[in-house]
Amino acid sequence: MRTVKIVADSSANLMELKSVAFAAAPLKIITAQQEFVDDRELDLDGMIRFFRSYKGKSQTSCPNPEDWLAAFGNAQDVFCVTITSGLSGSYGTACIARDMYQAEHPDRRVFVIDSLSAGPELTLIVEKLEQLIGEGKSFEEICTYIPQYQKKTGLLFMLESLNNFAANGRVSPAVARIAGVLGIRIVGKASNMGTLEPTDKCRGEVKSLHAILKHLKESGLKNGKVQLAHCLNENAANTLKSMIEKELPGAVVKVGKNLGLCSYYAEKGGLLVGFEKE
């Protein structure tokens, strides 16, 4: 029996799985004053408080090949999921680590998956990998199935601040200033190319949640899974959960928290929504 392991970078908001060996490769958030490592030791609340007052530039750092190799451990078959290559170099360094690992161990296999997304959509991909492994699917079968599954998943987001996106050079300061003014929240989605695209500017949280629900319906969600990940906004997550369950009673909705990397981008009040399309 070959040993199997699932590995993801910390943007998946996961640190462990119940039934399959798992490891998270940490991303980092770097400022002139402090560095935050997105692992089990991270003081998440402290990091969020820091960025509420920090006015300088910041940047994120992806796992390096050595980080990925440490996460692979000694598994013979590895399934590796990364944050979108449109926002990070994580996919590229994971591929370097794969080549190094397989060159040193010709009998081992690593399948690297560019999620083209972040946060709860990665959670869904990892959970699907866990399910397929539990069903006894072969390495080759899983490698064929997962890209097809990715076509049936999506990511939506609600942000009340874009300060960290601007500080990291991801959006212009002019665009960032729109969010938060007069209660404006930005609703958007992950594109097919793995970039984040704003779709709505909503005044107030209630209108933002209704916009998300509208996009979920238009995407064809009926009986699929929905994974909600909030940043210090459990009330909004639970409100959206109730809205989805009322309008789409076949959907299976879970609520969780964003970890370090996703909290950095989502900021306080932000909400990420991963979902399965029909």
Side-chain angles (χ1 to χ4, degrees):
M1 180 74 69
R2 294 177 64 86
T3 55
V4 182
K5 190 173 190 179
I6 300 173
V7 173
D9 62 42
S10 57
S11 75
N13 290 331
L14 291 167
M15 288 294 161
E16 61 185 13
L17 294 175
K18 292 181 179 179
S19 62
V20 177
F22 178 80
L27 290 111
K28 298 177 182 178
I29 303 100
I30 302 169
T31 74
Q33 297 180 13
Q34 193 169 349
E35 178 177 292
F36 301 91
V37 180
D38 191 10
D39 60 14
R40 291 179 184 271
E41 306 304 316
L42 176 66
D43 176 6
L44 183 58
D45 290 345
M47 187 196 82
I48 295 170
R49 285 195 303 271
F50 173 87
F51 279 107
R52 293 289 285 178
S53 59
Y54 180 70
K55 304 300 182 184
K57 290 188 178 297
S58 56
Q59 63 183 7
T60 58
S61 174
C62 66
N64 59 41
E66 288 72 25
D67 294 327
W68 284 116
L69 289 171
F72 295 170
N74 292 311
Q76 293 170 301
D77 289 337
V78 178
F79 298 96
C80 175
V81 188
T82 78
I83 190 173
T84 173
S85 57
L87 285 178
S88 170
S90 189
Y91 174 74
T93 58
C95 288
I96 292 171
R98 173 201 61 199
D99 295 344
M100 295 168 63
Y101 194 67
Q102 293 180 157
E104 185 174 354
H105 308 284
D107 64 322
R108 300 182 185 181
R109 301 175 293 190
V110 180
F111 180 46
V112 181
I113 302 157
D114 182 353
S115 71
L116 299 177
S117 191
E121 191 172 357
L122 270 76
T123 306
L124 293 176
I125 294 170
V126 170
E127 288 180 347
K128 180 57 69 173
L129 286 166
E130 183 180 25
Q131 175 192 330
L132 295 171
I133 292 167
E135 292 172 354
K137 302 294 186 186
S138 70
F139 184 87
E140 294 79 9
E141 287 174 322
I142 296 174
C143 291
T144 299
Y145 183 91
I146 287 297
Q148 299 304 313
Y149 176 71
Q150 287 182 262
K151 296 177 182 178
K152 299 179 181 179
T153 62
L155 178 77
L156 297 168
F157 58 84
M158 176 191 77
L159 305 177
E160 61 180 70
S161 172
L162 295 174
N163 289 337
N164 289 342
F165 271 103
N168 199 23
R170 302 297 184 183
V171 301
S172 70
V175 171
R177 281 194 291 270
I178 295 173
V181 176
L182 298 176
I184 296 296
R185 286 164 172 77
I186 304 298
V187 173
K189 65 179 182 178
S191 73
N192 292 334
M193 300 299 292
T195 57
L196 300 183
E197 295 183 351
T199 57
D200 304 83
K201 299 181 183 71
C202 302
R203 181 165 294 177
E205 189 168 87
V206 173
K207 289 183 179 179
S208 300
L209 297 179
H210 279 284
I212 290 175
L213 181 61
K214 175 175 174 286
H215 286 301
L216 288 172
K217 289 180 175 179
E218 290 174 348
S219 295
L221 171 67
K222 291 181 181 178
N223 301 313
K225 295 166 65 176
V226 182
Q227 185 76 39
L228 309 179
H230 67 88
C231 180
L232 299 183
N233 200 354
E234 188 174 4
N235 182 65
N238 286 329
T239 299
L240 181 58
K241 180 178 187 291
S242 297
M243 291 167 61
I244 295 170
E245 290 173 340
K246 180 180 178 181
E247 296 287 330
L248 302 164
V252 179
V253 188
K254 294 182 180 179
V255 173
K257 295 180 180 180
N258 285 308
L259 298 185
L261 190 282
C262 289
S263 288
Y264 166 74
Y265 279 120
E267 299 191 53
K268 184 178 179 180
L271 182 64
L272 307 182
V273 183
F275 62 98
E276 294 179 337
K277 310 169 189 176
E278 292 296 324

